[in-house]
Amino acid sequence: MSEHILLTPGPTPLPPSVRAKMAEPILHHRTQEFAQVFQRVLAGMQQVFRTKSQTLMLTTSGTGAMESAVANLLSPGDRALVHSTGAFGNRFVKILKAYGIEPMVIFEEWGEAAQPQRLKALLNASPGFKVVFFQHTDTSTGVLNDIETLSRTVRENSDALVVVDTVSGLAAERFETDSWGVDVALTGSQKGLMNAPGLAFAAVSEKAWTACGTAKLPRFYLDWRTMRDSLPQKETPYTPAVSLVVAQAEALRLILKEGLDNVVNRTRELALYTRTEVTNRLGLRLFAKDPAHILTAAWLPEGADGDALLKNLLTEERISIANGQEKLKGKIIRIAHMGYISKSDVQAGLSALERRLKTLIGAVRSRS
Ligand SMILES: *Cc1c(COP(=O)(O)O)cnc(C)c1O
């Protein structure tokens, strides 16, 4: 069997009907047939983002959508703020620096959510930000940020645009683009959206379109204006990942048929189950103080070789569990429960982990 169980926070496993769509003959992207599928995907994404704003599709991974927000909203010398809760907040910082913008950054302790009071204090002490960047869920720590409150804090204390990376949060946690006042919401295809990696989406408010019209940073492939100009023809400016678009239409059909609220509830139930099992059965300590339902992050026992553990799980049990990122590599594990991940997948992962941990803890004890 070449199949293995993916419990990683992207890519996530795919429903069989989504996989089957990718095996269909390729459509040409300048045809009526493709135009219809593309329209369905954009309309479905508006429902999932809960927005009336124009939604754009990009053939890139999620990071491309993050980069597009930087390139389309800012000009040289503009002030930007990143409220970082982990590795993906730090990615916004790296992108901004690559474009010559030196952002201000609020760094939260990894595992803790973005604090609205800290944001409010900084917005008042240092006025004039053009854009404030957030993660809805920071996948590196499994933290959930209260975007509704953070977005309101930005609006009440500045004129800045609110940009939210919900690559791992969308279609897994509750997210309301319009009613929360989010100007730009960004996501990717390979997590809650139950598709293969390679597509990204951006919902762009009127205020953000105005900023886009005057922004002076260089942009070409990621220019939102060329994407918008192609929409009346129901086209994309360049060749899109046609097979992924067809698959995304099917995945969106499944999500909307189940109902977004039901998807969020199912994810939450799986998260609560996993958290209980990880603490009670495996005896591990949870990592995030403000946990999202997209994944469970837990500390490995002191002295355990996390890299070896995860490698063994993959090669001997054919189960993919994610390692920690950056400073948490080898120290924590991350078990995802978003998208098409099922309870039986999680149960298989927990059982394998339990077996491996016994051996591992035995080895740590006999060494000390
Ligand atoms: C996965 C992810 C991204 C995008 O990563 P890509 O590998 O470029 O798709 C961005 N932000 C968060 C929070 C993510 O989890």
Side-chain angles (χ1 to χ4, degrees):
M1 279 266 288
S2 64
E3 290 278 340
H4 73 275
I5 297 178
L6 271 181
L7 294 174
T8 46
T12 56
L14 304 186
S17 65
V18 174
R19 285 164 52 174
K21 284 287 172 192
M22 282 187 278
E24 288 184 0
I26 298 284
L27 292 175
H28 191 275
H29 58 293
R30 311 275 182 225
T31 56
Q32 267 306 105
E33 221 177 340
F34 179 77
Q36 278 169 9
V37 180
F38 180 43
Q39 288 302 99
R40 263 195 282 141
V41 167
L42 292 184
M45 283 310 301
Q46 278 184 316
Q47 280 181 266
V48 174
F49 274 129
R50 297 216 152 124
T51 187
K52 293 203 165 58
S53 293
Q54 185 58 67
T55 298
L56 302 172
M57 185 188 79
L58 296 74
T59 292
T60 66
S61 79
T63 306
M66 295 167 75
E67 179 162 342
S68 79
V70 169
N72 282 282
L73 297 174
L74 292 159
S75 298
D78 274 350
R79 305 191 64 230
L81 172 62
V82 179
H83 200 151
S84 174
T85 48
F88 289 96
N90 297 349
R91 188 169 298 176
F92 268 135
V93 174
K94 288 181 193 160
I95 297 169
L96 285 157
K97 286 186 174 170
Y99 277 85
I101 305 271
E102 199 57 47
M104 269 205 150
V105 190
I106 303 176
F107 290 104
E108 299 291 356
E109 201 65 49
W110 281 36
E112 290 176 18
Q115 293 176 45
Q117 320 84 274
R118 290 190 70 193
L119 174 65
K120 183 177 177 186
L122 183 68
L123 290 171
N124 287 302
S126 179
F129 290 112
K130 181 91 180 279
V131 185
V132 185
F133 295 90
F134 300 101
Q135 262 66 38
H136 177 208
T137 49
D138 200 304
T139 324
S140 61
T141 63
V143 141
L144 174 69
N145 287 316
D146 177 359
I147 295 300
E148 185 173 17
T149 304
L150 293 163
S151 171
R152 190 187 323 120
T153 305
V154 172
R155 284 198 312 284
E156 288 175 357
N157 296 279
S158 76
D159 293 323
L161 293 160
V162 174
V163 173
V164 180
D165 158 3
T166 180
V167 177
S168 61
L170 198 72
E173 299 276 353
R174 192 168 155 244
F175 189 79
E176 306 276 340
T177 303
D178 287 358
S179 70
W180 292 355
V182 173
D183 289 294
V184 178
L186 309 164
T187 202
S189 52
Q190 80 272 30
K191 301 185 186 182
L193 290 182
M194 304 199 301
N195 193 5
L199 287 182
F201 299 93
V204 182
S205 73
E206 275 313 311
K207 185 176 167 187
W209 278 115
T210 306
C212 174
T214 56
K216 298 267 178 328
L217 283 183
R219 49 195 148 149
F220 181 77
Y221 182 68
L222 297 175
D223 195 328
W224 288 345
R225 295 167 300 184
T226 56
M227 299 176 201
R228 188 178 54 179
D229 291 347
S230 300
L231 288 174
Q233 292 80 252
K234 303 182 175 59
E235 287 184 356
T236 52
Y238 317 107
T239 316
V242 171
S243 304
L244 297 182
V245 182
V246 175
Q248 191 64 73
E250 172 61 12
L252 284 165
R253 189 186 69 76
L254 295 176
I255 289 169
L256 296 169
K257 191 172 119 203
E258 181 176 358
L260 209 43
D261 293 335
N262 295 331
V263 170
V264 170
N265 287 339
R266 174 168 54 76
T267 310
R268 186 187 61 231
E269 270 163 36
L270 197 48
L272 297 179
Y273 169 78
T274 311
R275 258 180 241 162
T276 310
E277 291 287 284
V278 163
T279 38
N280 296 356
R281 184 163 135 213
L282 305 186
L284 301 179
R285 198 157 51 85
L286 298 177
F287 176 75
K289 292 188 190 71
D290 304 296
H293 298 315
I294 60 164
L295 63 85
T296 298
W299 290 103
L300 286 170
E302 195 75 34
D305 183 346
D307 295 339
L309 170 78
L310 295 176
K311 205 166 149 213
N312 281 341
L313 274 173
L314 181 61
T315 54
E316 284 161 44
E317 310 263 3
R318 304 211 57 81
I319 288 172
S320 276
I321 288 176
N323 205 327
Q325 285 175 285
E326 298 183 8
K327 59 189 173 191
L328 295 174
K329 192 172 182 302
K331 300 197 170 110
I332 66 164
I333 52 163
R334 295 176 300 143
I335 304 169
H337 11 74
M338 56 177 74
Y340 192 63
I341 293 172
S342 67
K343 188 163 180 182
S344 62
D345 291 342
V346 170
Q347 283 168 334
L350 291 169
S351 298
L353 200 52
E354 189 176 28
R355 286 194 290 277
R356 294 283 146 186
L357 275 171
K358 278 199 187 117
T359 324
L360 190 73
I361 291 165
V364 172
R365 288 222 179 96
S366 65
R367 269 210 311 273
S368 54

